[in-house]
Structures are given as C-alpha cells and as structure tokens.
Amino acid sequence: MASLGTSVLKPALTSSTPASSRPGTSSANSSAPELTTTIEILPSKPDFPPFDPKPPMQNDFNPNLEPPLPYYIFSPRQKLVVTLLVSFAAMFSTLSSFIYYPALVPLSESFGVSLGLIQLTITSYLIIAGIAPAFMGDMADQSGRRPVYMLMFSLMISANVGISVVERWEGLLVLRMVQSAGGSGLYGGGYGVIADVAVAEERGGLVGVLLLMTDVATSLGPVVGGGLTQGLGWRWIFWFLVILTGSWFIVILIFLPETQRGLVGDGSRRVEGWVYQSFWSVFYFKERKGKKGTEAVVVGEKMEREGEEERKFRFPNPLACLPVLADKGSLVVILITAINYAVKAALQTSLDAQATEIYGLSYLQAGLVYLPSGVGGGFGSFFAGRFVDWNYKRTVKRGGDEDFDKNSPGFPLEKTRLEGVYILHAITVLGIIGYGLALKFRAHLAVTLLMQLLTGTSTAATFVLCGTLLTDLNMNRSATAQAASNLVRCLGAGGAVAVLQPMVEHVGPAACFGIYAGIVFLCFPLAWLVQRFGVAWRVANSDKQE
C-alpha cells in the first residue's frame, strides 16, 4: 500500500485535492500546480524516526534491573585493585591471631604467669573479635568505609605499640582486646567494599581474593611468629606488626576510595569531608569538573547535595546485626560458616602443641607445619571464587533470559552459590577424622600435614561459597551481615578452642576430633535446608518489605 510523503501528510490534503486529479474525471480546470508538484508516492513507512540498531548505553535506565547498570563506575581492573587493598588489610585480622601462637611459652616465662593465663589472652581476643565487628559493621554501613578503616587501623597500631613495651600480664590482656577490636572488623569491612563495587557475577572471584589473603596469613603468621620469637624475642612480633600495619595504613589513606553506596551511589557522587578523600577520588572529580556542562556533572552535584542533606550520624548499634540472624536464609549460612570456622580454629590451635609434644619440633619448625593448611586454603579460596562466578553465569544462561538473575523471582540463588558444598563437607569430615587418627597412632608428620592440607582447602572453599551467598542475601547491609557472621563464628571458635585440650586429655585425640567431625557433619542437613527452602524464604521477606 502506498501513502503520501511526510511533507504533505495532513488531514486536509484529501479534501483539497481537485476532482480532475482523480482517475476517470475530466475537467478544464487543472489548477493548483503547487499541490500536484508536492505530492509524492513513496513506499509505506511509519510516522516516527527510523529504528536505530545501536544497542542502548550501559547506563540507560532499565526498570527490570535493580540496581540499574552500571553498578559501579570502576573498571574490572580498578575493582581488583580496591579488592586487593582491603584484602591485604583483612589479612591483619588473621595474622594478629596466628602470629601469636608460637610465643605462648616465652610469654608465660617473661611475665612469670601460668600458660593458662596466657591462653586467657587468646580467649579474650576471640570474645572481642566476635563483639567489635557488630559496632564496626554498623558504623561502616551508615558512616562510610574510610572513617571506620581509619579507626580500626589506629586501634591496631596503638595496641601493637603498647604490647611491644608492656611489662605486666594485665596490660597484655587489655591490649590484646584493643588489638582485637581494631583488627577483627577488617574482615567484614572487606566484604562490605566488595559488595559496594561488584555485581553478582563477579563477586565470587573477588571474595576468593579476600579469603586467599586471609588464608595466607594462617600459614605465614606462625612461621613469622616462630622465627621472630626464636631469633629476636617475642616483642619483635608486635614491632613487626607495627611496621606492617602502619605502612598499609598509609596506603589505605592515599588510595582507598569511599565506596559505601549510601554515600557515593555508583561512585560518581562526591562526599564532603577530608576523611572521605583519597588520591583516586580527588583525581576523578577534578577530571569531571573540567568537563563543564555535562549532564554527569549536574546529576552528580545534585546527588551530592541530596546526600549531604540526608546523611545523619547516629551512634553505632551493635544489635543491628540481630535482624540478620532473624533471617532464616542468612542464619543457616552463618551456622555453616561458624561450624567450619570453629572446627578449623581447633585444628589450628592443636597443631602447634601436638607437633611440639609428639614430634619434638622447635618454635620455628612448629610454625612451619602451618604452611600446608595455608597453601591449601589459598588454592581453595582462589578456585572456589572462580567456580562461584562461572556457576552463576551458567545458571543465568540456563534461564534463557538476559534479565534472569538473582533479583528475579524463583532464581535458585542458594542452590547456585552452594553448588558442590556437599563434596567440601565430606572432605572436611574425612580430613578431621584422619587427623585425629594420625595423632593417636603417631603417624609420620607428613600424614598429619596432609590432613591439614585437605581440611584447609575444603574449609576455605566453603567460606567462599557461604560468604558470597551471605553478601547476596544482604546487599544493603553487607558489612553488618558479616559482623553477624563474625559474632557467631568467633564465639563458636572460642568455645571449640576452650574445650580442645580437656577433650584431648580425657578421651584422646582420635575421639576428640571424631566429635569435631560429627559437628561438621551437621552442615549437610543445613546446606540442604537452605537450598530447598531458600527461594521461598527470600520471596516471603520481599513480600514483608513491600
């Protein structure tokens, strides 16, 4: 069918056309030449601009996505750099704990107290490590990441300087608690930053980097601690921590940008205050201000004003993590993490004492036996992170719709994130049983270390799976969710370590670690529970929020 050209497509045109121009009509009057010269017979086309085949920009609004793309303005390489910054910082949380173990006997001799009182400093450290992140996580979620990082590093550095010169056991006890208050929140802070900058399909790999660094600390800490204790004395352990934490504090101050989404959005919003300014943010916003008149600057300035009006400080609420524990899905994931962490802490604590007693190793050699577990944990974290991202993309592709993701109703998020967790639990259980039997029958040291390698690898991979899922379930309170997880796992670890030595003495190592293996076995039904009912729980929570 033909139609008139767009230049003459008007309703009045048909009525004004002379009869002589119609077929089968004759007339002497053939006037209105301007009308006949402007009429064109063209192929039919719609009355709107032609279709533009160019795909929409990434930052075009898409109502089906929450939050809208891009999730963050960082490139993949910049996200990796930020993750490395916070991952190395999170390593101090684990390092401060494990570097202490080889110095227990020298500390007892130096302060003239029993070994039990020195072990009390470990218990107090774990208790504070469970409580302090509840304050730090809530503060980070409402006031920003950078101010809390400054606070945590200041506490750590001050405590390490104090322990280096302390002369009384009471001072050591108090300063260890201060050290724990500063260092324990770094782990949850790293999760918070990753949740700020990374989307679901890349979050697993970045969490793997975070856990890789913390697992490296579990092996390097005892080695460094044993070497310093044997060569220079136990006080040099804490001077070493002063140098290391102080240097990285300067790196954090210069390079770590503020990422808290409530303050900076996708990273394009500037927050006033010197505590929020890093080298990266100053350079980025200076470059943007050079582009005058651009829409991005106008929108950014508007968001900045709105953010300044809405931002109000309140005292950190340590009970803010309790709603996370009230969520069924989050609670089950936290329980799986806590059980594995508690049993792993018991294994690591027993290794130094058992290696010294059974195999007659020196302080340095006793530190070296932690290497297999740390190396296995590093590999487990790295490859589990890669697997989590790959499996998420595979599940999305199976859905057949590009908008089918973790925000879609019915998306099997729990089943996707915990894929393979049963195999990991089985390896952990068998490794713990084998470790207990190796100690009972005084097997070759290589057998004991092999069991540590297996359990270190499987538990580290489990932490990646559970940590990624917990972050996915609590995107708006990621640091608080990790604080809740830290509370449960540290209290559990404190209990597991406290009963370790009495159990070994009364029932023997085989039965003792058989009990621990039975506790890990509880993770099988917990994992099935969250995979089976997780989607329904999430839908119910969404309905309550609406």
Side-chain angles (χ1 to χ4, degrees), residues 1-6 40-46:
M1 179 179 178
S3 63
L4 297 178
T6 54
E40 297 178 359
I41 304 300
L42 300 174
S44 177
K45 60 181 179 180

Side-chain angles (χ1 to χ4, degrees), residues 222-478:
V223 175
V224 175
L228 290 173
T229 300
Q230 187 168 312
L232 299 173
W234 66 266
R235 293 185 185 274
W236 272 96
I237 290 177
F238 298 97
W239 284 122
F240 171 78
L241 290 176
V242 169
I243 297 171
L244 199 60
T245 55
S247 301
W248 202 249
F249 185 29
I250 296 174
V251 174
I252 290 290
L253 286 176
I254 296 175
F255 295 107
L256 181 67
E258 178 57 58
T259 63
Q260 211 282 327
R261 298 185 66 82
L263 299 179
V264 300
D266 63 355
S268 61
R269 184 192 310 175
R270 184 170 185 176
V271 187
E272 295 296 333
W274 66 269
V275 294
Y276 298 104
Q277 309 308 315
S278 67
F279 174 82
W280 186 91
S281 59
V282 171
F283 176 79
Y284 172 74
F285 287 108
K286 182 179 180 180
E287 185 181 64
R288 285 184 61 193
K289 285 184 178 180
K291 301 176 182 179
K292 297 182 180 180
T294 63
E295 183 180 357
V297 173
V298 175
V299 173
E301 292 175 351
K302 181 180 179 181
M303 292 172 66
E304 177 182 340
R305 291 193 297 270
E306 292 175 352
E308 290 295 322
E309 294 173 358
E310 296 175 0
R311 182 155 47 94
K312 296 180 181 179
F313 178 80
R314 60 174 174 80
F315 188 78
N317 179 15
L319 302 180
C321 66
L322 295 183
V324 178
L325 299 177
D327 177 69
K328 295 178 182 177
S330 298
L331 177 60
V332 174
V333 174
I334 288 173
L335 287 176
I336 296 174
T337 303
I339 290 173
N340 280 271
Y341 183 82
V343 173
K344 182 176 182 178
L347 289 173
Q348 298 289 298
T349 304
S350 70
L351 187 57
D352 180 76
Q354 296 298 325
T356 303
E357 178 184 346
I358 297 176
Y359 302 105
L361 303 180
S362 65
Y363 294 135
L364 178 59
Q365 290 171 333
L368 291 173
V369 298
Y370 286 87
L371 283 175
S373 177
V375 172
F379 277 105
S381 299
F382 178 78
F383 288 108
R386 294 293 185 92
F387 172 78
V388 165
D389 287 344
W390 171 81
N391 196 47
Y392 178 86
K393 295 175 182 177
R394 182 179 65 165
T395 304
V396 171
K397 188 178 296 185
R398 284 177 177 176
D401 186 351
E402 62 181 7
D403 294 331
F404 182 68
D405 59 9
K406 71 183 184 67
N407 298 310
S408 304
F411 184 84
L413 179 63
E414 293 78 7
K415 186 173 293 186
T416 300
R417 291 306 196 193
L418 296 182
E419 187 85 33
V421 73
Y422 299 111
I423 299 176
L424 297 175
H425 291 336
I427 295 174
T428 303
V429 170
L430 294 176
I432 294 171
I433 295 174
Y435 177 74
L437 293 174
L439 294 179
K440 178 180 179 179
F441 296 106
R442 297 178 178 268
H444 193 277
L445 180 61
V447 178
T448 303
L449 298 184
L450 176 61
M451 297 300 106
Q452 286 279 342
L453 174 66
L454 292 176
T455 55
T457 304
S458 58
T459 53
T462 302
F463 295 152
V464 173
L465 270 58
C466 292
T468 306
L469 177 57
L470 184 63
T471 302
D472 288 338
L473 296 176
N474 299 274
M475 283 302 302
N476 295 326
R477 51 182 182 181
S478 54

Side-chain angles (χ1 to χ4, degrees), residues 14-258:
T14 304
S15 58
S16 62
T17 305
S20 59
S21 65
R22 301 188 184 103
T25 305
S26 62
S27 174
N29 186 10
S30 58
S31 59
E34 68 282 356
L35 183 59
T36 57
T37 58
T38 58
I39 294 177
E40 297 178 359
I41 304 300
L42 300 174
S44 177
K45 60 181 179 180
D47 189 20
F48 50 80
F51 170 74
D52 183 6
K54 183 178 67 174
M57 297 281 293
Q58 269 195 326
N59 59 353
D60 286 350
F61 176 72
N62 186 343
N64 295 324
L65 294 179
E66 180 60 37
L69 293 175
Y71 187 74
Y72 214 82
I73 59 175
F74 288 171
S75 67
R77 179 175 296 180
Q78 290 171 328
K79 292 178 183 179
L80 179 59
V81 170
V82 170
T83 300
L84 290 174
L85 287 173
V86 298
S87 297
F88 197 85
M91 183 186 68
F92 298 133
S93 175
T94 309
L95 183 65
S96 299
S97 178
F98 279 81
I99 201 173
Y100 189 70
Y101 291 154
L104 296 181
V105 174
L107 282 166
S108 175
E109 297 172 352
S110 177
F111 289 104
V113 297
S114 66
L115 187 60
L117 287 178
I118 296 299
Q119 289 177 338
L120 184 60
T121 63
I122 298 178
T123 304
S124 63
Y125 185 96
L126 289 172
I127 292 174
I128 299 301
I131 298 173
F135 286 90
M136 301 298 182
D138 185 55
M139 191 186 304
D141 282 341
Q142 58 127 344
S143 301
R145 313 299 184 196
R146 280 180 59 88
V148 176
Y149 268 99
M150 293 179 187
L151 174 61
M152 291 188 291
F153 269 94
S154 298
L155 290 174
M156 269 199 310
I157 295 171
S158 302
N160 288 327
V161 171
I163 296 174
S164 301
V165 298
V166 70
E167 296 293 342
R168 294 179 60 85
W169 171 83
E170 294 82 0
L172 174 67
L173 180 68
V174 173
L175 289 171
R176 278 287 286 174
M177 290 190 285
V178 175
Q179 183 191 41
S180 177
S184 57
L186 293 171
Y187 185 78
Y191 269 104
V193 171
I194 291 174
D196 292 336
V197 304
V199 293
E201 56 265 26
E202 60 189 3
R203 195 172 298 136
L206 298 181
V207 169
V209 173
L210 172 66
L211 292 177
L212 171 64
M213 299 300 293
T214 56
D215 281 315
V216 166
T218 64
S219 58
L220 290 183
V223 175
V224 175
L228 290 173
T229 300
Q230 187 168 312
L232 299 173
W234 66 266
R235 293 185 185 274
W236 272 96
I237 290 177
F238 298 97
W239 284 122
F240 171 78
L241 290 176
V242 169
I243 297 171
L244 199 60
T245 55
S247 301
W248 202 249
F249 185 29
I250 296 174
V251 174
I252 290 290
L253 286 176
I254 296 175
F255 295 107
L256 181 67
E258 178 57 58

